[in-house]
């Protein structure tokens, strides 16, 4: 019980804090409350996995707290609470997400125990736990990569018109000998700042190619395999050759591999990046622009770089259900992608409402918890059966 994670509450309504503490304790958390924004540092010192924040307090406004969380690179998740309108809550949420503070959800006052409980029991919370609880060293990560402790989970991607399964994204995890299964939040930024991102990427590519070719015959899967590239791959001129060799070794076609790069990984002086991306494209690989909408030079990059797919960031997709601004961003990204001849994929499709809305909006592909969570390859066959039973109902309305 010593390792039970903390939930921190920051709300000037004392009675509400007592109530929310009780709910969080029922869900198995330890709790810590403060009633004034100036006590934020004390709360963060306990390394909470979740911070429940009232955005309208007497002594500090919640937006200021959000900025401080971003500055402190708060690794946990945020729940935004307010008695104000839904629009206010959504703006605060968007603001947090744009600053890379991860939002678990929003709650309107009066708060119901069930709504808070649902957020506290979300599986995503497990993502924050390892990072908060384990100090990972560079040497440990280097050893883990070398000893083949990286494992891949695959998240299916499907076509919105007919529900066909068209691809998977490989997402790395680390089966740590002491800490258990660690998620990317716990080690990707360390890899990127300590020169381990390229060795990690090479392992991921080899593992994904090997697993997917081995199972393609049994699964009958002929779709694309998407692999995430770190920014440093855009500076290594030998990278295209390395992947060509890796692909040739397993006898897979480059056309089946989609490399995902984020907008921000194309640096200020993009000459090298353009050369690498163009070479990858010439070799036949497909390229996807990941987290679209969160970077700065979106339009310029899209015009000049040889991308094949645009992946709308999950922050906008998830918010689209309740927030007009996000809805407009998703709609214009779909229009932009289609006009540029790119495949458009929405990630973060978490429920049926979003599914039908995206389908009607003309989005081509979808990925998200509603379709499937990332899973080990051996679970894909079972998902495929389950998806077959659901998909017909989801595509019965013509678009
Ligand atoms: P990403 O590339 O944007 O990947 C999508 C993340 O969103 C994944 O988290 C996935 O599990 C999660 N996700 C998918 N559908 C939903 C949904 O409907 N709702 C919500 N809330 N989340 C959803 P994951 O696996 O923890 O990966 C986090 C990030 O770590 C990735 O973001 C990517 O930037 C990085 N990453 C993962 N694998 C690799 C890798 O092999 N190499 C590199 N360089 N980075 C990786
Ligand atoms: Ca990705
Ligand atoms: Ca993404």
């Amino acid at each position: 019980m010593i390792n039970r994670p903390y939930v921190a509450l920051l709300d000037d309504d004392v009675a509400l804090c007592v109530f929310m503490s009780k709910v969080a304790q029922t869900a198995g958390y330890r709790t810590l409350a403060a009633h004034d924004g100036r006590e934020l540092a004390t709360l963060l010192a306990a390394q909470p996995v979740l911070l429940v924040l009232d955005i309208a307090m007497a002594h500090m406004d919640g937006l200021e707290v959000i900025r401080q969380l971003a500055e402190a690179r708060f690794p946990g998740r945020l729940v935004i609470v307010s008695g104000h309108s839904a629009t206010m809550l959504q703006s605060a949420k968007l603001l947090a997400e744009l600053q890379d503070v991860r939002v678990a959800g929003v709650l309107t006052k009066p708060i119901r125990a069930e709504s808070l409980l649902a957020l506290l029991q979300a599986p995503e919370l497990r993502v924050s736990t390892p990072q908060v609880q384990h100090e990972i060293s560079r040497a440990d990560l280097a050893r883990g990569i070398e000893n083949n402790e990286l494992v891949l989970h695959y998240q299916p991607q499907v076509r919105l018109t007919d529900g066909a399964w068209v691809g998977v994204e490989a997402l790395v995890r680390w089966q740590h000998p002491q800490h258990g299964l660690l998620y990317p939040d716990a080690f990707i930024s360390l890899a990127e700042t300590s020169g381990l991102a390229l060795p990690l990427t090479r392992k991921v590519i080899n593992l994904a190619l090997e697993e997917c070719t081995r199972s393609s015959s049994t699964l009958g899967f002929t779709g694309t395999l998407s692999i995430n590239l770190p920014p440093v791959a855009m500076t290594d001129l030998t990278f295209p050759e390395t992947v060509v060799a890796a692909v040739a070794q397993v006898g897979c076609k480059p056309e089946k591999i989609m490399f995902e790069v984020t907008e921000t990984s194309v640096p200020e002086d993009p000459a090298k990046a353009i050369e690498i991306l163009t070479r990858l494209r010439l070799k036949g690989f497909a390229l996807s622009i990941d987290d679209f909408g969160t970077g700065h030079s979106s339009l310029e990059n899209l015009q000049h770089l040889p991308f094949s797919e645009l992946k709308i960031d999950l922050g906008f997709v998830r918010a689209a259900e309740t927030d007009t601004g996000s809805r407009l961003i998703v709609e214009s990204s779909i229009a932009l992608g289609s006009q540029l001849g790119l495949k458009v994929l929405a990630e973060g499709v978490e429920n049926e409402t979003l599914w039908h809305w995206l389908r009607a909006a003309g989005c081509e592909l979808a990925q998200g918890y509603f379709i499937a969570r990332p899973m080990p390859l051996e679970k894909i066959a079972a998902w495929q059966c389950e998806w077959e039973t659901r998909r017909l109902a989801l595509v019965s309305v013509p678009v």
Side-chain angles (χ1 to χ4, degrees):
M1 293 302 261
I2 292 162
N3 274 335
R4 268 185 309 144
Y6 272 109
V7 165
L9 307 157
L10 184 50
D11 194 321
D12 57 0
D13 182 340
V14 179
L16 184 60
C17 275
V18 173
F19 165 73
M20 293 194 293
S21 295
K22 283 200 181 125
V23 175
Q25 284 159 12
T26 317
Y29 292 91
R30 289 185 284 179
T31 57
L32 200 69
H35 313 300
D36 182 326
R38 287 168 294 191
E39 291 171 63
L40 179 65
T42 318
L43 292 180
L44 294 187
Q47 303 192 321
V49 291
L50 196 79
L51 173 70
V52 183
L53 169 70
D54 181 356
I55 51 165
M57 287 174 294
H59 295 291
M60 188 192 260
D61 78 57
L63 304 187
E64 170 69 17
V65 174
I66 291 174
R67 198 176 50 73
Q68 291 186 13
L69 289 174
E71 277 170 13
R73 302 181 69 86
F74 174 54
R77 307 236 168 196
L78 181 66
V79 171
I80 305 172
V81 171
S82 169
H84 289 277
S85 68
T87 320
M88 272 287 284
L89 278 171
Q90 290 305 330
S91 324
K93 178 167 178 263
L94 188 62
L95 182 72
E97 284 170 345
L98 288 173
Q99 298 179 87
D100 289 331
V101 174
R102 291 171 316 164
V103 181
V106 296
L107 295 173
T108 326
K109 289 184 182 182
I111 289 170
R112 291 181 311 133
E114 310 87 81
S115 320
L116 180 58
L117 261 180
L119 290 175
L120 291 166
Q121 287 162 346
E124 284 141 67
L125 276 189
R126 54 99 179 101
V127 172
S128 318
T129 317
Q131 183 187 14
V132 174
Q133 289 179 345
H134 310 300
E135 253 330 300
I136 307 280
S137 70
R138 183 192 190 277
D140 195 15
L141 180 55
R143 186 200 48 74
I145 296 171
E146 190 54 38
N147 289 356
N148 299 318
E149 288 169 13
L150 299 182
V151 293
L152 294 176
H153 283 182
Y154 296 90
Q155 188 175 34
Q157 303 170 328
V158 298
R159 194 158 55 206
L160 279 150
T161 43
D162 59 359
W165 176 30
V166 294
V168 288
E169 178 177 6
L171 294 156
V172 69
R173 280 90 182 86
W174 178 10
Q175 189 62 59
H176 193 284
Q178 280 95 42
H179 307 319
L181 193 66
L182 300 182
Y183 285 76
D185 306 46
F187 60 91
I188 286 289
S189 56
L190 172 65
E192 288 182 355
T193 53
S194 67
L196 291 172
L198 277 177
L200 179 143
T201 303
R202 287 195 201 104
K203 282 281 182 191
V204 167
I205 292 174
N206 290 332
L207 186 58
L209 286 172
E210 186 206 307
E211 290 191 331
C212 288
T213 26
R214 193 155 28 90
S215 64
S216 65
S217 47
T218 49
L219 289 174
F221 173 64
T222 53
T224 52
L225 164 64
S226 292
I227 297 175
N228 292 284
L229 292 187
V232 67
M234 295 299 102
T235 64
D236 175 12
L237 287 170
T238 67
F239 182 74
E241 297 305 326
T242 325
V243 288
V244 167
V247 166
Q249 200 171 11
V250 294
C252 166
K253 288 202 187 79
E255 290 73 23
K256 293 289 172 194
I257 312 295
M258 172 90 71
F259 287 114
E260 299 193 358
V261 291
T262 58
E263 290 181 272
T264 33
S265 27
V266 179
E268 296 262 306
D269 170 24
K272 244 188 203 171
I274 294 179
E275 181 174 344
I276 292 163
L277 290 170
T278 311
R279 260 200 219 164
L280 286 170
R281 201 75 183 93
L282 286 171
K283 306 279 186 201
F285 295 100
L287 299 174
S288 173
I289 187 148
D290 202 357
D291 302 343
F292 182 77
T294 60
H296 308 291
S297 50
S298 335
L299 282 170
E300 231 174 69
N301 282 348
L302 277 184
Q303 253 185 358
H304 300 305
L305 296 173
F307 285 105
S308 0
E309 179 185 87
L310 181 159
K311 239 179 143 167
I312 311 174
D313 188 62
L314 81 176
F316 298 114
V317 176
R318 293 165 68 204
E321 206 183 337
T322 46
D323 173 58
T324 317
S326 301
R327 203 148 48 227
L328 287 172
I329 291 172
V330 174
E331 281 167 351
S332 40
S333 304
I334 296 170
L336 178 71
S338 317
Q339 277 161 23
L340 289 170
L342 306 176
K343 288 200 254 178
V344 179
L345 184 148
E347 58 179 356
V349 181
E350 288 188 348
N351 58 48
E352 190 167 345
T353 313
L354 277 172
W355 168 278
H356 290 298
W357 177 71
L358 287 160
R359 197 168 172 263
C363 187
E364 189 180 343
L365 307 169
Q367 178 181 348
Y369 292 171
F370 174 64
I371 301 137
R373 285 179 181 266
M375 62 192 105
L377 202 58
E378 58 269 21
K379 297 226 168 113
I380 290 266
W383 166 78
Q384 205 182 356
C385 293
E386 181 258 340
W387 178 245
E388 279 309 308
T389 61
R390 271 201 294 153
R391 111 182 144 103
L392 286 178
L394 293 169
V395 300
S396 57
V397 189
V399 273

